[in-house]
């Protein structure tokens, strides 16, 4: 079997708050992420989801254990990992197209040369089309709805061609209908581009619809409780997939597991 793209072994992370009040955010976390997987992480608030994402992104240090990507230790951020946050983080003074092209400024081809202006334009146009923003190339973020802004952020993340895309509740701020639309678009983009995705959500239905693998985390300290293979729900997936008996079965199982943890915490 091929080696995992990302290997997380026995990771522990403690936030030093005040003497005696340290927060063990992660303890004994082991996880393999394979190429082209769509991994969704669910779990109660405070179980360390964002901490884990930030560690993979190289934005946060860990105290012990190891995190490797392509066999090399993750010691900081790098172009092989792109992060998309809940709050779009677009440059307000740049148009949609300029926002998408911005990251490509630093992008190099496999042979080490830079992309020409024409090539960057072509890539930006491709992603503008992919995320259904044709006609809005020259709009500014303030002229866009929340859903459109998040589409720009997703296009920008994909345009720089990282191996892994890390998303922290990217649809958390959107209304239900827009969220459903963006889920379908993201599924299509994932099926077209086959990138590895690590996606945090607190929405169990979203996790079951999008992922090939579901990671359930528990809190105090943050640990991985269970990893579920979710490839037995057929593709292509759309909102109608929620009617599939396998979807219902998996959703009920994940819900039940998460709910039992909630009851444990309340005790
Ligand atoms: P989640 O994303 O699952 O809600 P987080 O990774 O944000 O969880 O947080 C895990 C735990 O670490 C929580 O108890 C949180 O309060 C704590 N924590 C997160 N960031 C910090 C920080 N910068 N300083 C201190 N404690 C933190």
């Amino acid at each position: 079997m091929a080696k995992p793209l990302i290997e997380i072994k026995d990771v522990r992370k403690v936030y030093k708050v005040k003497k005696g009040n340290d927060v063990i955010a992660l303890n004994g976390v082991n996880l393999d992420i394979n190429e082209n997987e769509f991994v969704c992480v669910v779990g109660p608030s405070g179980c360390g989801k964002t901490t884990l994402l930030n560690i993979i992104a190289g934005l946060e240090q860990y105290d012990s254990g190891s995190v490797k990507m392509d066999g090399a230790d993750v010691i900081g951020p790098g172009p092989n990992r792109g992060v998309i946050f809940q709050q779009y983080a677009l440059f307000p003074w740049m148009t949609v197209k300029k926002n998408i092209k911005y990251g490509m400024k630093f992008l190099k081809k496999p042979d080490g040369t830079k992309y020409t202006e024409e090539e960057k334009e072509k890539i930006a146009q491709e992603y503008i089309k992919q995320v259904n923003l044709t006609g809005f190339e020259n709009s500014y973020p303030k002229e866009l709805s929340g859903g459109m802004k998040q589409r720009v952020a997703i296009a920008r993340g994909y345009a720089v061609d990282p191996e892994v895309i890390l998303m922290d509740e990217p649809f958390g701020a959107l209304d239900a209908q827009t969220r459903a639309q963006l889920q379908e678009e993201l599924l299509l983009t994932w099926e077209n581009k086959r990138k590895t995705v690590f996606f945090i959500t607190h929405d169990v239905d979203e996790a079951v619809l999008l992922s090939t693998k579901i990671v359930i985390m528990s809190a105090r300290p943050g640990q991985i409780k269970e990893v579920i293979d979710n490839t037995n729900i057929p593709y292509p997936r759309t909102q109608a997939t929620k009617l599939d008996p396998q979807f219902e079965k998996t959703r009920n199982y994940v819900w039940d597991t998460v709910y039992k943890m909630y009851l444990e915490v309340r005790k």
Side-chain angles (χ1 to χ4, degrees):
M1 210 173 125
K3 249 180 110 56
L5 180 62
I6 297 176
E7 285 177 285
I8 300 166
K9 287 216 179 341
D10 206 17
V11 163
R12 180 178 166 90
K13 165 75 187 173
V14 180
Y15 288 108
K16 308 243 178 294
V17 188
K18 269 192 287 177
K19 232 180 161 148
N21 276 336
D22 292 349
V23 179
I24 306 171
L26 297 174
N27 194 40
V29 169
N30 291 292
L31 181 66
D32 285 345
I33 301 173
N34 300 310
E35 216 176 321
N36 298 341
E37 271 189 324
F38 196 128
V39 178
C40 277
V41 187
V42 294
S45 187
C47 69
K49 302 183 290 297
T50 297
T51 302
L52 184 58
L53 182 142
N54 285 339
I55 287 174
I56 299 170
L59 298 169
E60 191 83 71
Q61 303 297 314
Y62 47 97
D63 296 290
S64 60
S66 74
V67 180
K68 289 186 195 291
M69 175 156 176
D70 286 326
D73 282 320
V74 168
I75 46 168
N80 55 3
R81 285 149 294 146
V83 187
I84 296 170
F85 297 102
Q86 183 175 351
Q87 292 304 334
Y88 329 108
L90 303 179
F91 296 117
W93 61 89
M94 287 186 192
T95 62
V96 164
K97 199 196 292 171
K98 287 209 167 127
N99 262 290
I100 294 171
K101 279 165 86 176
Y102 178 80
M104 285 191 262
K105 229 159 97 170
F106 312 102
L107 196 62
K108 296 231 174 80
K109 293 188 214 174
D111 65 4
T113 57
K114 284 192 162 182
Y115 282 86
T116 64
E117 208 43 49
E118 249 176 35
E119 286 168 328
K120 284 192 264 183
E121 182 72 24
K122 201 167 157 241
I123 296 170
Q125 285 297 357
E126 182 199 340
Y127 282 102
I128 285 168
K129 194 163 166 237
Q130 178 74 47
V131 299
N132 290 328
L133 281 175
T134 306
F136 293 93
E137 294 84 346
N138 299 317
S139 303
Y140 287 88
K142 68 170 189 301
E143 298 167 321
L144 305 177
S145 67
M148 291 159 96
K149 283 188 224 176
Q150 198 54 291
R151 288 185 174 104
V152 180
I154 290 169
R156 190 175 59 179
Y158 268 87
V160 296
D161 201 27
E163 282 178 73
V164 181
I165 300 204
L166 306 161
M167 304 198 201
D168 194 349
E169 299 229 24
F171 305 152
L174 306 176
D175 64 86
Q177 204 177 335
T178 308
R179 188 172 183 140
Q181 257 172 6
L182 265 79
Q183 287 168 348
E184 287 201 355
E185 288 173 16
L186 182 60
L187 273 166
L188 272 180
T189 306
W190 177 77
E191 283 178 55
N192 278 336
K193 300 290 171 188
R194 286 273 150 183
K195 292 222 172 287
T196 307
V197 178
F198 183 88
F199 186 108
I200 293 177
T201 179
H202 60 257
D203 180 339
V204 171
D205 283 42
E206 183 166 84
V208 179
L209 183 64
L210 296 181
S211 71
T212 56
K213 186 190 244 180
I214 303 167
V215 175
I216 305 178
M217 291 185 69
S218 58
R220 298 182 202 171
Q223 279 173 328
I224 292 178
K225 187 169 171 59
E226 198 167 335
V227 177
I228 298 168
D229 172 60
N230 192 36
T231 50
N232 49 1
I233 299 174
Y235 288 91
R237 295 181 187 171
T238 64
Q239 296 302 329
T241 301
K242 291 181 178 169
L243 303 172
D244 188 291
Q246 185 59 47
F247 179 94
E248 205 180 332
K249 205 170 145 200
T250 308
R251 194 252 263 119
N252 290 349
Y253 179 79
V254 177
W255 251 119
D256 201 44
T257 311
V258 173
Y259 188 62
K260 275 186 191 136
M261 286 191 296
Y262 166 73
L263 293 180
E264 270 304 302
V265 171
R266 262 197 350 178
K267 262 189 199 163

